[in-house]
Amino acid sequence: MSTDTLIITDVAPRDGLQNQQVPVSTEAKLKLIQLLHEAGVASIEATSFVSPKAVPQMADAADVIAGVNRQHPELRVSALVPNQKGLERAHAAGAREVAVVLSATQTMNEKNINMDLARATAVCEETLHAAHELGLRTRAYVAVAFDCPFEGPTRLETVVDLAERMNRAGAQEIVIADTIGSASPGMVKSHFEALGKTLPLHKLAAHFHDTRGMASANAWAAIQAGVRRFDASVGGIGGCPFAPGAAGNAATEDLVLMAERSGFKTNISIPGLLQAIDFAEAQLGKALGGRSIAWLRRQHAKRSTL
Ligand code: HMG
Ligand code: MG
């Protein structure tokens, strides 16, 4: 990987759709994934194998994975799994990459996956080992890495310790997540400087939510700290249903615009992303888009009429 290329995982089909009130069909999810793929997005988090009672929006996870494998066998696609049962379901459905989710506080783990911190850490470690045995690629989220909606500011030492444990358990990518979008560029700098002391920077990824409008500034701080892997969500859709106050993710179009304008490559086409946003808007029946959407649409409209 050249140091001036960002690897962006679009998490819209999972983080973006897990909290929507409007039902979205499997066919529409597959179409969204296809549009993202056509826009040049090379890595997509497609779904999650969680309890359908907890998140009914992801009940069709097996069909989504089977559909993507059929339509785009070459595409890098991951699925979130909260436990061994999720891993087994994901593997049976043909998933080739899974992501475990560990929160850095006691209460967030209890609210999200009904486990205390010690149990959640052990379950994530076991799931990573088991995924490795099955030959799957792995990501590990460290959620509420900046602030927890229940416990307040998260201890940086805990974030580093948990990220190290996920690394030792074999996670190929460790995703530092700002679940409620409360981070600021200064906090991002301190976090990644501390993490980079004991962890390989090329394995670290940043997952920002844009609650306070700072996701692009935070992504820039992470880039400056040497991070090259980012999660983002087309149209900025997203949010964890179990984290009060979690707004949408960093919008993929904002991240691509900021990165490309700053000399980094993403290999993602903004007109392609706009098509995906139009499609998602029609499905969800509401306006979507990050901070740059109005300007991007004007530019695109001008070019289309030339
Ligand atoms: P639990 O109730 O404690 O589970 O839920 P359990 O082990 O006691 O089992 C209860 C029932 O669920 C049983 O079925 C199990 O078989 C079933 P029953 O006997 O009642 O019929 N079950 C499952 N079914 C399907 N798939 C599974 C599974 N596991 C057990 N994997 C559990 C524990 C983890 C399952 C539940 O709390 C859950 O599914 N939580 C999902 C949480 C979630 O999806 N959160 C959103 C994603 S995380 C996020 O958005 C943050 C992130 O974006 C980063 C950031 O921004 O910070 C990643
Ligand atoms: Mg998230």
Side-chain angles (χ1 to χ4, degrees):
M1 179 174 64
S2 127
T3 51
D4 65 354
T5 299
L6 301 190
I7 308 288
I8 296 177
T9 296
D10 198 301
V11 295
R14 195 276 306 166
D15 206 336
L17 297 183
Q18 70 183 5
N19 207 9
Q20 301 296 332
Q21 302 312 313
V22 181
V24 179
S25 68
T26 308
E27 196 187 19
K29 292 175 183 180
L30 291 172
K31 177 73 182 173
L32 178 62
I33 291 167
Q34 183 193 323
L35 289 168
L36 290 170
H37 182 38
E38 284 169 7
V41 179
S43 169
I44 296 175
E45 193 158 275
T47 189
S48 59
F49 288 86
V50 297
S51 159
K53 283 183 200 145
V55 188
Q57 292 89 337
M58 298 287 114
D60 61 351
D63 293 335
V64 171
I65 291 297
V68 180
N69 283 349
R70 212 170 34 246
Q71 291 172 8
H72 316 288
E74 75 293 357
L75 181 61
R76 191 185 145 196
V77 164
S78 70
L80 184 146
V81 296
N83 54 17
Q84 189 78 30
K85 174 154 186 178
L87 172 65
E88 283 160 17
R89 288 179 58 216
H91 184 243
R96 280 167 278 126
E97 176 167 338
V98 290
V100 297
V101 57
L102 174 62
S103 297
T105 64
Q106 193 75 13
T107 319
M108 191 64 228
N109 282 302
E110 283 162 5
K111 299 280 184 189
N112 196 35
I113 54 172
N114 198 24
M115 297 173 206
D116 65 18
L117 176 57
R119 175 94 190 111
T121 308
V123 165
C124 286
E125 287 171 334
E126 286 160 18
T127 307
L128 287 169
H129 286 306
H132 189 250
E133 291 288 306
L134 292 169
L136 306 188
R137 194 177 184 283
T138 51
R139 317 172 82 210
Y141 283 102
V142 180
V144 297
F146 297 89
D147 290 289
C148 171
F150 306 103
E151 296 188 20
T154 304
R155 289 179 67 242
L156 178 51
E157 296 75 14
T158 307
V159 175
V160 173
D161 175 51
L162 297 177
E164 286 173 350
R165 286 184 67 166
M166 295 301 98
N167 188 41
R168 282 198 297 276
Q172 280 151 299
E173 194 170 316
I174 299 147
V175 190
I176 305 301
D178 178 20
T179 311
I180 57 169
S182 65
S184 63
M187 292 158 82
V188 171
K189 181 172 185 282
S190 330
H191 268 54
F192 282 105
E193 278 174 4
L195 287 156
K197 284 189 184 140
T198 52
L199 289 157
L201 265 175
H202 71 268
K203 289 179 80 170
L204 296 177
H207 174 113
F208 295 116
H209 284 258
D210 204 13
T211 317
R212 303 187 192 181
M214 273 192 257
S216 287
N218 289 338
W220 182 246
I223 288 173
Q224 293 293 294
V227 175
R228 294 293 178 267
R229 293 181 186 275
F230 289 87
D231 283 3
S233 172
V234 74
I237 43 176
C240 174
F242 309 100
N249 287 68
T252 309
E253 62 276 16
D254 287 352
L255 182 60
V256 169
L257 180 66
M258 184 272 283
E260 300 268 349
R261 297 274 301 163
S262 305
F264 291 85
K265 287 199 192 75
T266 63
N267 302 317
I268 296 176
S269 135
I270 286 193
L273 291 178
L274 291 175
Q275 283 192 26
I277 295 169
D278 288 346
F279 177 76
E281 282 189 339
Q283 292 300 314
L284 299 176
K286 60 182 177 189
L288 301 173
R291 311 278 155 179
S292 60
I293 190 70
W295 184 85
L296 290 175
R297 282 207 167 114
R298 281 198 302 277
Q299 292 300 307
H300 186 56
K302 263 192 231 158
R303 274 183 210 148
S304 320
T305 54
L306 286 180

